[in-house]
Amino acid sequence: MCAQRSRQHETHTPEAAGHLTRADAAPCDFERFPRILLLGGLGVLAGTLLSLPFIPFQDFPAHALVVELDRQVGESHALYEPAQPRIAGYSLAYVLTRFGLPFLSAEHALEVLVMLSALLLPLAAANIARSAGSHATWAAVFCLPLALSWPVKIGFIPYNLGMIPALFAVAAAVRLQRLVRTRDVLIYAACLLCAYLSHAVAFCVAGLGVLLTLLLGRSFRTTSLLAVAAAPGLALFARDLFLDGFAPMPGTERTLPPAPLSFRELPEAFVSIFTRGFSMVDPTDVSYTHLTLPTMGTAWGGGGGGGGG
């Protein structure tokens, strides 16, 4: 981009003889700055996760145990056999740890998934911004804190993994609103399918994002195309629903008795949407949110022109 602007400058002002002034270099510096921030932020994020002596997430031990048991299926010393029929949802993380990372221990394989989810989340957000014609690099920079959000810290590994294809599916839907291309249709369908295989809630989040793009686009042709392309994910969701795949496992009521349903006050629930996203325990501490969200919104919705990164 900077070199292209330099050539244009030489063409229109030959007397400059290719020498850039400080004013000419300023736009290049502005474009380079968010990239440096993003690379530095991703480095700090990776260094933070790699430097931990262990992953202090609440659900991590449970996932590690499930991975160990899943790897024993079909072997003579297996302690458990999977319930039949097996549901499709929530399976992608365990398929990846069993077949994609068989050479690693259960804990290390899950750590790889945690790392990938954290590093890919800002890049998935940048993909949406680029598809919408906004500044992709700034969007990724301001989404960096979400890579260590409350769902990450609590150890929702399948959900965090599912948010990556969910965001890529939304980005493909945004592009399809402008131009229908076979590649984007396939990306959209595959990402929706992977989102459901990761976690049902991630699949629903992707559905809400796609619905928003449809409401903004208002194209019957695109709506029909997106609905048809979503058929594989919807079919698996309907299958698991028919098989009571989301019902509690028999016997769990002995250790996890059903708790009475309770609701928080509406203002507290609203604030928690943002505070938990930025991993703040106290929902009244919104100072960081007040500082970050307007800046993120400016980067997401401003940034004119095309993709910046």
PDB file of all heavy atoms in Angstrom, residues 102-133:
ATOM      1  N   PRO A 102      -2.887 -36.746  18.235  1.00  0.00           N
ATOM      2  CA  PRO A 102      -2.762 -37.980  19.022  1.00  0.00           C
ATOM      3  C   PRO A 102      -1.414 -38.127  19.702  1.00  0.00           C
ATOM      4  O   PRO A 102      -1.264 -38.913  20.645  1.00  0.00           O
ATOM      5  CB  PRO A 102      -2.976 -39.081  17.974  1.00  0.00           C
ATOM      6  CG  PRO A 102      -2.484 -38.477  16.702  1.00  0.00           C
ATOM      7  CD  PRO A 102      -2.845 -37.015  16.791  1.00  0.00           C
ATOM      8  N   PHE A 103      -0.407 -37.395  19.233  1.00  0.00           N
ATOM      9  CA  PHE A 103       0.946 -37.506  19.778  1.00  0.00           C
ATOM     10  C   PHE A 103       1.135 -36.676  21.037  1.00  0.00           C
ATOM     11  O   PHE A 103       2.188 -36.748  21.671  1.00  0.00           O
ATOM     12  CB  PHE A 103       1.972 -37.083  18.725  1.00  0.00           C
ATOM     13  CG  PHE A 103       1.639 -35.771  18.069  1.00  0.00           C
ATOM     14  CD1 PHE A 103       2.058 -34.583  18.618  1.00  0.00           C
ATOM     15  CD2 PHE A 103       0.876 -35.742  16.909  1.00  0.00           C
ATOM     16  CE1 PHE A 103       1.739 -33.373  18.028  1.00  0.00           C
ATOM     17  CE2 PHE A 103       0.557 -34.534  16.307  1.00  0.00           C
ATOM     18  CZ  PHE A 103       0.984 -33.341  16.870  1.00  0.00           C
ATOM     19  N   LEU A 104       0.135 -35.882  21.415  1.00  0.00           N
ATOM     20  CA  LEU A 104       0.212 -35.055  22.620  1.00  0.00           C
ATOM     21  C   LEU A 104      -0.647 -35.661  23.713  1.00  0.00           C
ATOM     22  O   LEU A 104      -1.625 -36.361  23.445  1.00  0.00           O
ATOM     23  CB  LEU A 104      -0.265 -33.633  22.318  1.00  0.00           C
ATOM     24  CG  LEU A 104       0.558 -32.808  21.332  1.00  0.00           C
ATOM     25  CD1 LEU A 104      -0.092 -31.448  21.115  1.00  0.00           C
ATOM     26  CD2 LEU A 104       1.988 -32.628  21.839  1.00  0.00           C
ATOM     27  N   SER A 105      -0.292 -35.372  24.944  1.00  0.00           N
ATOM     28  CA  SER A 105      -1.134 -35.785  26.061  1.00  0.00           C
ATOM     29  C   SER A 105      -2.445 -35.021  26.018  1.00  0.00           C
ATOM     30  O   SER A 105      -2.584 -34.022  25.282  1.00  0.00           O
ATOM     31  CB  SER A 105      -0.422 -35.525  27.386  1.00  0.00           C
ATOM     32  OG  SER A 105      -0.257 -34.119  27.586  1.00  0.00           O
ATOM     33  N   ALA A 106      -3.421 -35.469  26.774  1.00  0.00           N
ATOM     34  CA  ALA A 106      -4.728 -34.813  26.772  1.00  0.00           C
ATOM     35  C   ALA A 106      -4.602 -33.350  27.177  1.00  0.00           C
ATOM     36  O   ALA A 106      -5.208 -32.467  26.563  1.00  0.00           O
ATOM     37  CB  ALA A 106      -5.678 -35.554  27.715  1.00  0.00           C
ATOM     38  N   GLU A 107      -3.799 -33.080  28.223  1.00  0.00           N
ATOM     39  CA  GLU A 107      -3.646 -31.710  28.697  1.00  0.00           C
ATOM     40  C   GLU A 107      -2.977 -30.825  27.644  1.00  0.00           C
ATOM     41  O   GLU A 107      -3.429 -29.709  27.377  1.00  0.00           O
ATOM     42  CB  GLU A 107      -2.828 -31.681  30.001  1.00  0.00           C
ATOM     43  CG  GLU A 107      -3.531 -32.289  31.196  1.00  0.00           C
ATOM     44  CD  GLU A 107      -3.472 -33.798  31.216  1.00  0.00           C
ATOM     45  OE1 GLU A 107      -2.784 -34.372  30.326  1.00  0.00           O
ATOM     46  OE2 GLU A 107      -4.110 -34.409  32.082  1.00  0.00           O
ATOM     47  N   HIS A 108      -1.921 -31.332  27.020  1.00  0.00           N
ATOM     48  CA  HIS A 108      -1.205 -30.528  26.024  1.00  0.00           C
ATOM     49  C   HIS A 108      -2.041 -30.328  24.769  1.00  0.00           C
ATOM     50  O   HIS A 108      -1.995 -29.255  24.144  1.00  0.00           O
ATOM     51  CB  HIS A 108       0.135 -31.185  25.686  1.00  0.00           C
ATOM     52  CG  HIS A 108       1.136 -31.080  26.794  1.00  0.00           C
ATOM     53  ND1 HIS A 108       2.181 -31.966  26.927  1.00  0.00           N
ATOM     54  CD2 HIS A 108       1.249 -30.202  27.819  1.00  0.00           C
ATOM     55  CE1 HIS A 108       2.903 -31.637  27.989  1.00  0.00           C
ATOM     56  NE2 HIS A 108       2.354 -30.575  28.547  1.00  0.00           N
ATOM     57  N   ALA A 109      -2.812 -31.334  24.389  1.00  0.00           N
ATOM     58  CA  ALA A 109      -3.675 -31.176  23.217  1.00  0.00           C
ATOM     59  C   ALA A 109      -4.733 -30.108  23.465  1.00  0.00           C
ATOM     60  O   ALA A 109      -5.027 -29.289  22.589  1.00  0.00           O
ATOM     61  CB  ALA A 109      -4.338 -32.515  22.882  1.00  0.00           C
ATOM     62  N   LEU A 110      -5.292 -30.088  24.661  1.00  0.00           N
ATOM     63  CA  LEU A 110      -6.282 -29.060  24.993  1.00  0.00           C
ATOM     64  C   LEU A 110      -5.634 -27.686  25.080  1.00  0.00           C
ATOM     65  O   LEU A 110      -6.249 -26.680  24.712  1.00  0.00           O
ATOM     66  CB  LEU A 110      -6.970 -29.400  26.315  1.00  0.00           C
ATOM     67  CG  LEU A 110      -7.950 -30.582  26.267  1.00  0.00           C
ATOM     68  CD1 LEU A 110      -8.458 -30.899  27.660  1.00  0.00           C
ATOM     69  CD2 LEU A 110      -9.116 -30.296  25.335  1.00  0.00           C
ATOM     70  N   GLU A 111      -4.394 -27.627  25.550  1.00  0.00           N
ATOM     71  CA  GLU A 111      -3.691 -26.348  25.588  1.00  0.00           C
ATOM     72  C   GLU A 111      -3.499 -25.787  24.178  1.00  0.00           C
ATOM     73  O   GLU A 111      -3.585 -24.573  23.959  1.00  0.00           O
ATOM     74  CB  GLU A 111      -2.337 -26.518  26.289  1.00  0.00           C
ATOM     75  CG  GLU A 111      -2.464 -26.707  27.794  1.00  0.00           C
ATOM     76  CD  GLU A 111      -1.113 -26.987  28.443  1.00  0.00           C
ATOM     77  OE1 GLU A 111      -0.099 -26.968  27.711  1.00  0.00           O
ATOM     78  OE2 GLU A 111      -1.079 -27.213  29.659  1.00  0.00           O
ATOM     79  N   VAL A 112      -3.243 -26.669  23.212  1.00  0.00           N
ATOM     80  CA  VAL A 112      -3.125 -26.219  21.823  1.00  0.00           C
ATOM     81  C   VAL A 112      -4.446 -25.626  21.347  1.00  0.00           C
ATOM     82  O   VAL A 112      -4.471 -24.580  20.687  1.00  0.00           O
ATOM     83  CB  VAL A 112      -2.696 -27.402  20.926  1.00  0.00           C
ATOM     84  CG1 VAL A 112      -2.799 -27.020  19.446  1.00  0.00           C
ATOM     85  CG2 VAL A 112      -1.272 -27.827  21.246  1.00  0.00           C
ATOM     86  N   LEU A 113      -5.568 -26.271  21.694  1.00  0.00           N
ATOM     87  CA  LEU A 113      -6.874 -25.743  21.295  1.00  0.00           C
ATOM     88  C   LEU A 113      -7.156 -24.401  21.968  1.00  0.00           C
ATOM     89  O   LEU A 113      -7.718 -23.490  21.342  1.00  0.00           O
ATOM     90  CB  LEU A 113      -7.976 -26.740  21.655  1.00  0.00           C
ATOM     91  CG  LEU A 113      -7.949 -28.070  20.909  1.00  0.00           C
ATOM     92  CD1 LEU A 113      -9.187 -28.895  21.257  1.00  0.00           C
ATOM     93  CD2 LEU A 113      -7.859 -27.867  19.401  1.00  0.00           C
ATOM     94  N   VAL A 114      -6.770 -24.261  23.235  1.00  0.00           N
ATOM     95  CA  VAL A 114      -6.941 -22.981  23.928  1.00  0.00           C
ATOM     96  C   VAL A 114      -6.135 -21.895  23.229  1.00  0.00           C
ATOM     97  O   VAL A 114      -6.614 -20.780  22.997  1.00  0.00           O
ATOM     98  CB  VAL A 114      -6.518 -23.113  25.407  1.00  0.00           C
ATOM     99  CG1 VAL A 114      -6.464 -21.743  26.076  1.00  0.00           C
ATOM    100  CG2 VAL A 114      -7.495 -24.014  26.159  1.00  0.00           C
ATOM    101  N   MET A 115      -4.883 -22.225  22.871  1.00  0.00           N
ATOM    102  CA  MET A 115      -4.016 -21.261  22.200  1.00  0.00           C
ATOM    103  C   MET A 115      -4.581 -20.863  20.836  1.00  0.00           C
ATOM    104  O   MET A 115      -4.635 -19.675  20.488  1.00  0.00           O
ATOM    105  CB  MET A 115      -2.622 -21.860  22.040  1.00  0.00           C
ATOM    106  CG  MET A 115      -1.628 -20.973  21.326  1.00  0.00           C
ATOM    107  SD  MET A 115      -1.038 -19.629  22.374  1.00  0.00           S
ATOM    108  CE  MET A 115      -0.050 -20.563  23.564  1.00  0.00           C
ATOM    109  N   LEU A 116      -5.006 -21.849  20.055  1.00  0.00           N
ATOM    110  CA  LEU A 116      -5.550 -21.560  18.734  1.00  0.00           C
ATOM    111  C   LEU A 116      -6.809 -20.697  18.828  1.00  0.00           C
ATOM    112  O   LEU A 116      -6.987 -19.743  18.064  1.00  0.00           O
ATOM    113  CB  LEU A 116      -5.862 -22.866  18.003  1.00  0.00           C
ATOM    114  CG  LEU A 116      -4.672 -23.644  17.446  1.00  0.00           C
ATOM    115  CD1 LEU A 116      -5.137 -24.953  16.806  1.00  0.00           C
ATOM    116  CD2 LEU A 116      -3.906 -22.815  16.431  1.00  0.00           C
ATOM    117  N   SER A 117      -7.683 -21.027  19.769  1.00  0.00           N
ATOM    118  CA  SER A 117      -8.917 -20.257  19.922  1.00  0.00           C
ATOM    119  C   SER A 117      -8.608 -18.815  20.289  1.00  0.00           C
ATOM    120  O   SER A 117      -9.233 -17.881  19.766  1.00  0.00           O
ATOM    121  CB  SER A 117      -9.808 -20.902  20.987  1.00  0.00           C
ATOM    122  OG  SER A 117     -10.138 -22.225  20.640  1.00  0.00           O
ATOM    123  N   ALA A 118      -7.646 -18.627  21.193  1.00  0.00           N
ATOM    124  CA  ALA A 118      -7.317 -17.269  21.629  1.00  0.00           C
ATOM    125  C   ALA A 118      -6.687 -16.456  20.513  1.00  0.00           C
ATOM    126  O   ALA A 118      -7.010 -15.281  20.323  1.00  0.00           O
ATOM    127  CB  ALA A 118      -6.376 -17.337  22.842  1.00  0.00           C
ATOM    128  N   LEU A 119      -5.788 -17.062  19.735  1.00  0.00           N
ATOM    129  CA  LEU A 119      -5.083 -16.325  18.686  1.00  0.00           C
ATOM    130  C   LEU A 119      -5.965 -16.077  17.459  1.00  0.00           C
ATOM    131  O   LEU A 119      -5.796 -15.069  16.772  1.00  0.00           O
ATOM    132  CB  LEU A 119      -3.819 -17.083  18.268  1.00  0.00           C
ATOM    133  CG  LEU A 119      -2.731 -17.209  19.335  1.00  0.00           C
ATOM    134  CD1 LEU A 119      -1.566 -18.035  18.808  1.00  0.00           C
ATOM    135  CD2 LEU A 119      -2.239 -15.835  19.785  1.00  0.00           C
ATOM    136  N   LEU A 120      -6.881 -16.991  17.185  1.00  0.00           N
ATOM    137  CA  LEU A 120      -7.709 -16.858  15.990  1.00  0.00           C
ATOM    138  C   LEU A 120      -8.916 -15.952  16.192  1.00  0.00           C
ATOM    139  O   LEU A 120      -9.484 -15.466  15.207  1.00  0.00           O
ATOM    140  CB  LEU A 120      -8.183 -18.239  15.525  1.00  0.00           C
ATOM    141  CG  LEU A 120      -7.116 -19.140  14.903  1.00  0.00           C
ATOM    142  CD1 LEU A 120      -7.706 -20.505  14.552  1.00  0.00           C
ATOM    143  CD2 LEU A 120      -6.510 -18.493  13.662  1.00  0.00           C
ATOM    144  N   LEU A 121      -9.321 -15.719  17.448  1.00  0.00           N
ATOM    145  CA  LEU A 121     -10.507 -14.896  17.679  1.00  0.00           C
ATOM    146  C   LEU A 121     -10.345 -13.475  17.135  1.00  0.00           C
ATOM    147  O   LEU A 121     -11.230 -12.983  16.413  1.00  0.00           O
ATOM    148  CB  LEU A 121     -10.856 -14.868  19.165  1.00  0.00           C
ATOM    149  CG  LEU A 121     -12.132 -14.104  19.529  1.00  0.00           C
ATOM    150  CD1 LEU A 121     -13.354 -14.766  18.904  1.00  0.00           C
ATOM    151  CD2 LEU A 121     -12.294 -14.000  21.033  1.00  0.00           C
ATOM    152  N   PRO A 122      -9.245 -12.754  17.432  1.00  0.00           N
ATOM    153  CA  PRO A 122      -9.100 -11.416  16.842  1.00  0.00           C
ATOM    154  C   PRO A 122      -9.036 -11.454  15.314  1.00  0.00           C
ATOM    155  O   PRO A 122      -9.544 -10.554  14.648  1.00  0.00           O
ATOM    156  CB  PRO A 122      -7.781 -10.899  17.441  1.00  0.00           C
ATOM    157  CG  PRO A 122      -7.561 -11.712  18.672  1.00  0.00           C
ATOM    158  CD  PRO A 122      -8.131 -13.057  18.359  1.00  0.00           C
ATOM    159  N   LEU A 123      -8.433 -12.496  14.757  1.00  0.00           N
ATOM    160  CA  LEU A 123      -8.338 -12.592  13.305  1.00  0.00           C
ATOM    161  C   LEU A 123      -9.704 -12.872  12.684  1.00  0.00           C
ATOM    162  O   LEU A 123     -10.008 -12.383  11.587  1.00  0.00           O
ATOM    163  CB  LEU A 123      -7.345 -13.697  12.916  1.00  0.00           C
ATOM    164  CG  LEU A 123      -5.931 -13.532  13.491  1.00  0.00           C
ATOM    165  CD1 LEU A 123      -5.020 -14.650  12.994  1.00  0.00           C
ATOM    166  CD2 LEU A 123      -5.355 -12.164  13.121  1.00  0.00           C
ATOM    167  N   ALA A 124     -10.545 -13.644  13.383  1.00  0.00           N
ATOM    168  CA  ALA A 124     -11.902 -13.875  12.886  1.00  0.00           C
ATOM    169  C   ALA A 124     -12.717 -12.593  12.925  1.00  0.00           C
ATOM    170  O   ALA A 124     -13.502 -12.309  12.006  1.00  0.00           O
ATOM    171  CB  ALA A 124     -12.570 -14.965  13.714  1.00  0.00           C
ATOM    172  N   ALA A 125     -12.523 -11.797  13.982  1.00  0.00           N
ATOM    173  CA  ALA A 125     -13.215 -10.503  14.048  1.00  0.00           C
ATOM    174  C   ALA A 125     -12.728  -9.578  12.941  1.00  0.00           C
ATOM    175  O   ALA A 125     -13.516  -8.834  12.330  1.00  0.00           O
ATOM    176  CB  ALA A 125     -12.973  -9.863  15.419  1.00  0.00           C
ATOM    177  N   ALA A 126     -11.431  -9.627  12.643  1.00  0.00           N
ATOM    178  CA  ALA A 126     -10.891  -8.817  11.549  1.00  0.00           C
ATOM    179  C   ALA A 126     -11.489  -9.229  10.212  1.00  0.00           C
ATOM    180  O   ALA A 126     -11.708  -8.388   9.330  1.00  0.00           O
ATOM    181  CB  ALA A 126      -9.372  -8.956  11.511  1.00  0.00           C
ATOM    182  N   ASN A 127     -11.771 -10.510  10.062  1.00  0.00           N
ATOM    183  CA  ASN A 127     -12.366 -10.990   8.813  1.00  0.00           C
ATOM    184  C   ASN A 127     -13.763 -10.406   8.614  1.00  0.00           C
ATOM    185  O   ASN A 127     -14.142 -10.049   7.491  1.00  0.00           O
ATOM    186  CB  ASN A 127     -12.426 -12.516   8.843  1.00  0.00           C
ATOM    187  CG  ASN A 127     -12.740 -13.096   7.482  1.00  0.00           C
ATOM    188  OD1 ASN A 127     -12.454 -12.497   6.451  1.00  0.00           O
ATOM    189  ND2 ASN A 127     -13.340 -14.266   7.462  1.00  0.00           N
ATOM    190  N   ILE A 128     -14.533 -10.282   9.698  1.00  0.00           N
ATOM    191  CA  ILE A 128     -15.851  -9.662   9.591  1.00  0.00           C
ATOM    192  C   ILE A 128     -15.709  -8.196   9.205  1.00  0.00           C
ATOM    193  O   ILE A 128     -16.431  -7.687   8.336  1.00  0.00           O
ATOM    194  CB  ILE A 128     -16.621  -9.796  10.918  1.00  0.00           C
ATOM    195  CG1 ILE A 128     -16.934 -11.272  11.212  1.00  0.00           C
ATOM    196  CG2 ILE A 128     -17.921  -8.994  10.880  1.00  0.00           C
ATOM    197  CD1 ILE A 128     -17.696 -11.492  12.496  1.00  0.00           C
ATOM    198  N   ALA A 129     -14.782  -7.501   9.865  1.00  0.00           N
ATOM    199  CA  ALA A 129     -14.587  -6.081   9.563  1.00  0.00           C
ATOM    200  C   ALA A 129     -14.159  -5.884   8.117  1.00  0.00           C
ATOM    201  O   ALA A 129     -14.646  -4.982   7.426  1.00  0.00           O
ATOM    202  CB  ALA A 129     -13.550  -5.491  10.517  1.00  0.00           C
ATOM    203  N   ARG A 130     -13.254  -6.722   7.643  1.00  0.00           N
ATOM    204  CA  ARG A 130     -12.802  -6.603   6.252  1.00  0.00           C
ATOM    205  C   ARG A 130     -13.949  -6.880   5.289  1.00  0.00           C
ATOM    206  O   ARG A 130     -14.105  -6.193   4.271  1.00  0.00           O
ATOM    207  CB  ARG A 130     -11.656  -7.580   5.994  1.00  0.00           C
ATOM    208  CG  ARG A 130     -11.088  -7.490   4.582  1.00  0.00           C
ATOM    209  CD  ARG A 130      -9.996  -8.504   4.347  1.00  0.00           C
ATOM    210  NE  ARG A 130      -8.832  -8.270   5.190  1.00  0.00           N
ATOM    211  CZ  ARG A 130      -8.488  -9.017   6.216  1.00  0.00           C
ATOM    212  NH1 ARG A 130      -9.238 -10.069   6.537  1.00  0.00           N
ATOM    213  NH2 ARG A 130      -7.422  -8.742   6.941  1.00  0.00           N
ATOM    214  N   SER A 131     -14.770  -7.875   5.590  1.00  0.00           N
ATOM    215  CA  SER A 131     -15.903  -8.199   4.724  1.00  0.00           C
ATOM    216  C   SER A 131     -16.921  -7.069   4.690  1.00  0.00           C
ATOM    217  O   SER A 131     -17.598  -6.870   3.682  1.00  0.00           O
ATOM    218  CB  SER A 131     -16.572  -9.488   5.202  1.00  0.00           C
ATOM    219  OG  SER A 131     -15.665 -10.575   5.191  1.00  0.00           O
ATOM    220  N   ALA A 132     -17.024  -6.321   5.803  1.00  0.00           N
ATOM    221  CA  ALA A 132     -17.967  -5.211   5.870  1.00  0.00           C
ATOM    222  C   ALA A 132     -17.383  -3.918   5.323  1.00  0.00           C
ATOM    223  O   ALA A 132     -18.059  -2.887   5.329  1.00  0.00           O
ATOM    224  CB  ALA A 132     -18.423  -4.999   7.313  1.00  0.00           C
ATOM    225  N   GLY A 133     -16.118  -3.949   4.879  1.00  0.00           N
ATOM    226  CA  GLY A 133     -15.494  -2.756   4.339  1.00  0.00           C
ATOM    227  C   GLY A 133     -14.908  -1.838   5.373  1.00  0.00           C
ATOM    228  O   GLY A 133     -14.635  -0.673   5.089  1.00  0.00           O
TER     229      GLY A 133
END
